[in-house]
Each structure stands twice: as structure tokens, then as C-alpha cells.
Amino acid sequence: MKSFTPPTRILMGPGPSVVHPRILDAMARPTIGHLDPAFVDMMDEVKEMLKYAFKTENALTMPVSAPGSAGMETCFVNLVEPGDKVIVCINGVFGLRMKENVTRLGGEAVVVEDEWGTAVSPEKVEQALVENPDTKIVAFVHAETSTGALSDAKTLCQIANQHGCINIVDAVTSLAGSELRVDEWGIDAIYSGSQKCLSAMPGLSPVSFSERAIEKLTNRKTPVTSWFLDLNLVMGYWGKGSKRAYHHTAPVNTLYGLHESLVMLSEEGIENSWSRHQQNHILLRDGLNNLGINYLVDEASRLPQLNSVLIPQDQDDLGVRSSLLENYNIDIGAGLGPLEGKIWRIGLMGHTSRKKNIELLLSALKDTLQKKKV
Ligand SMILES: *Cc1c(COP(=O)(O)O)cnc(C)c1O
């Protein structure tokens, strides 16, 4: 066996996104102990910078030591108790996973369905809350990466709050790519991922819990069924003050990487990051339209960081994607579930969202579509 050297790729799919060299450099620095005072200071900076990224003052804001899916589980396993009624909005793959979480925890899932490629309907959520006044939680995906649709998180949280429910929001793809204001919008429990618009490596999931969410957690009648994700225990390590108890060995170097990506985000400014994603999306959209390629999602609810486009009739899904990878080192995403073979998912997340990458993709795509016409 020899050492592994990955090919050079431009990651333009649903994640991971291109990791900036500064972040790779940070990760290559020497490992120190996860209870070293210098490391604990760095952890505090990560927490502060995550609060900035989420636009929150929530004290319980920190990265879970595992990918976005574990952030999802952290929210559900800590907040859903057996018998709890949870409204789950499903307009793509990740809503389905939320429902799976609820039922596995013994909760009762009330599903609000919307067509894949459209936003969650606030009217339907309101209706479901009227019909189910004993609902405890409303859960939805802010940016559905499987379809490219953005939902109105502000309005959905407002409705949930008016009906006395707490909310759980999936912001894995939205954080740093789309406007997101945790405190202002009344978000209670939110999770994200390191490898999408933060452009760090996969493997960490920033989460944030409001006071109301913590209240539900501390008033549980039954213990949290996951030991690893029980926030009561995790906070012994990530909590306030300098005294930290061993819970698990934190992924030290991965956290160096997240720290660096958050430093870069604060240098750019969170609002500037949102608008960069939007501007580059327009650039890509115009170029794709020139090639005769159209979007799945209506303009009003399109994600700038995940462009789901309809595969032209005369083109072969896999053939085009393989050609882009083999000839141009460009990695774009396929459709999932009912959208398999129907769409491509072009990610412009984090460090991927640059003019140079868009120009490269457009010329590669133009070339490939001409050659591959069936
Ligand atoms: C990527 C993604 C996840 C899962 O994150 P992993 O890091 O792959 O576990 C969850 N929700 C959404 C909306 C995502 O895009």
C-alpha cells in the first residue's frame, strides 16, 4: 500500500464544498490535548463565532463532534419525548429523515407535505396546528438540499410560536449561504454542518438551543435516550467557564479547521457571505439559461447555494456527470429519490461560490452537452 493522494477536484455538488487552503493549513497543525487550556480557549472562540454566524446570543451554541445528521439527532433526541406530537414538514429527503427521528423516539409525527421542489406552505402548517392543538414541536428544513428549495423560516417559526410550540430548524445548507437570524426569527433548536456554506471539512455539526428549548430539555420526564448526544452531558465539556470535564475526545484538528473557517467568515462578514452566494447564483443562472438549462424551483424560493436544474431531454444524466468529473475534475450532484435522473444539483457553497468556478463549469458544461447529445 501507498499513501493516498486524492485527485484535485472542484466540488460543485450538494456538499462537501471546496475547502479553502487556509482551512487545510489550520487542520495540519500539531494536535494538542482536548483539555489543554489553549484548546479550551479556542473552543470558546468557536462558540463565540458560531453565535455570530447564527445571529444568536444563545449560550448553548457549539459544534457537535459528528456530521450534520448528528446535529439533527441532537435536536430530536434531546427535545422529543415519547408521546410528543411533532409536526414534520416534508418537501424533500431531509424532512423524511426528521420524521424517522420522531417516530424512532416514540413521538407522534403529524406530516405536512409539500411537493418536492417547492417551499413548505405556512398555510398548511397553520392548518395542521389548528387541527392538532396538542402539538409540542414544529420541525422543518430551511434549505432543502435535495430539491434546492428555500422555505420561509421566519414565518414558519412565528406560526409555531403563536401556537405555543417550539421549533426545530435544519440549517445545514442555509447557514452562511442564506439569510438566517436565529434570535430575531424565534428559532428554538437549530443544527447545521461544517462542509456546506462554511466550507470546512465534513464531520462537525454546529447547533444552537434557545432558553425555551433548554427548558423543555430540563423538564423531561424521561432521560435522553442517546448517551453521546445528551446535551446535559455534552455541556460538561463545552459549557461555560474554564473547568471542563471529559465527555469524549473532541476531533481536535477538525475543530482547528472549523475555527479557521469561522475566522474567515467573520473577516468577510455574514451579510456579505449571504450576498456573495446570491450574486454568484445569478451569474450561474444566467449562464445556464444561455445553455437552455432551466431550474426545477420557482425563482421566489430558489436556493442560491444549491441550484437544482432540469436535465435536458437529449442528455444522459450519468454520462454528463462522469464526463465533467473525468475531463474537467468538476463534481456535480445527482437527483435524489423521485428526482433521480431528472435533475442535477449544482452547489455554489462557501469557497466553491466564486466566479472562476462558475465560468469553468459553464464552459465545461457547454462542451460536454454538445459532445454528449443523444
Ligand atoms: C447535508 C445535509 C444534512 C446531513 O448532513 P451530513 O453532514 O451529511 O450528515 C442534513 N440536512 C440537510 C438539509 C443537508 O443538506
Side-chain angles (χ1 to χ4, degrees), residues 14 67-69 72 94 97 141 143-145 170 172-173 191 195-196:
S69 306
M72 179 186 281
F94 294 101
R97 291 191 179 177
V141 179
E144 224 338 319
T145 325
D170 178 322
V172 176
T173 282
Y191 58 93
Q195 81 277 28
K196 309 230 173 165

Side-chain angles (χ1 to χ4, degrees), residues 38-303:
F39 189 71
V40 169
D41 287 348
M42 191 215 69
M43 288 165 70
D44 285 338
E45 290 178 4
V46 167
K47 283 165 53 173
E48 278 312 306
M49 290 190 288
L50 281 178
K51 282 158 73 175
Y52 168 75
F54 276 126
K55 289 202 170 279
T56 183
E57 294 301 320
N58 288 339
L60 207 178
T61 303
M62 49 127 214
V64 173
S65 299
S69 306
M72 179 186 281
E73 293 224 23
T74 299
C75 290
F76 285 90
V77 81
N78 281 278
L79 296 176
V80 178
E81 283 192 83
D84 278 357
K85 199 177 253 191
V86 182
I87 289 180
V88 181
C89 306
I90 300 181
N91 62 340
V93 165
F94 294 101
L96 284 169
R97 291 191 179 177
M98 285 180 151
K99 176 175 181 250
E100 182 71 23
N101 270 267
V102 171
T103 51
R104 284 187 186 217
L105 290 164
E108 187 189 336
V110 175
V111 171
V112 169
E113 262 185 295
D114 280 288
E115 203 181 319
W116 288 37
T118 66
V120 172
S121 153
E123 292 76 23
K124 286 190 195 169
V125 172
E126 174 95 56
Q127 179 71 19
L129 281 162
V130 170
E131 286 165 10
N132 297 277
D134 53 340
T135 301
K136 299 269 175 63
I137 300 172
V138 173
F140 66 90
V141 179
H142 186 206
E144 224 338 319
T145 325
S146 64
T147 68
L150 179 73
S151 288
D152 182 351
K154 184 183 179 184
T155 302
L156 292 170
C157 290
Q158 215 165 27
I159 294 170
N161 292 348
Q162 279 160 3
H163 288 263
C165 295
I166 62 166
N167 57 68
I168 297 178
V169 180
D170 178 322
V172 176
T173 282
S174 59
L175 181 66
S178 300
E179 183 180 7
L180 174 63
R181 302 173 186 275
V182 168
D183 288 357
E184 214 179 297
W185 294 355
I187 292 174
D188 291 305
I190 190 163
Y191 58 93
S192 189
S194 48
Q195 81 277 28
K196 309 230 173 165
C197 295
L198 291 177
S199 245
M201 56 296 112
L204 291 169
S205 178
V207 298
S208 185
F209 276 52
S210 73
E211 287 299 327
R212 289 205 313 164
I214 294 170
E215 198 181 301
K216 182 154 188 343
L217 168 60
T218 44
N219 289 330
R220 285 181 67 104
K221 291 177 199 74
T222 54
V224 174
T225 53
S226 163
W227 177 86
F228 185 67
L229 300 175
D230 183 346
L231 286 174
N232 296 300
L233 305 176
V234 176
M235 287 313 285
Y237 177 55
W238 274 96
K240 268 213 132 14
S242 53
K243 193 160 165 18
R244 305 294 168 96
Y246 167 64
H247 176 261
H248 64 278
T249 309
V252 170
N253 292 57
T254 317
L255 282 163
Y256 297 167
L258 178 64
H259 183 277
E260 188 66 17
S261 79
L262 291 167
V263 168
M264 291 177 64
L265 181 67
S266 61
E267 286 169 1
E268 179 176 25
I270 183 77
E271 284 88 357
N272 293 333
S273 180
W274 299 338
S275 55
R276 171 170 53 86
H277 283 87
Q278 182 59 26
Q279 282 159 13
N280 287 330
H281 157 71
I282 299 294
L283 202 64
L284 176 69
R285 180 203 65 189
D286 292 349
L288 289 172
N289 287 347
N290 282 341
L291 296 177
I293 294 176
N294 300 310
Y295 277 71
L296 170 75
V297 180
D298 280 349
E299 193 148 4
S301 37
R302 254 176 225 168
L303 281 175

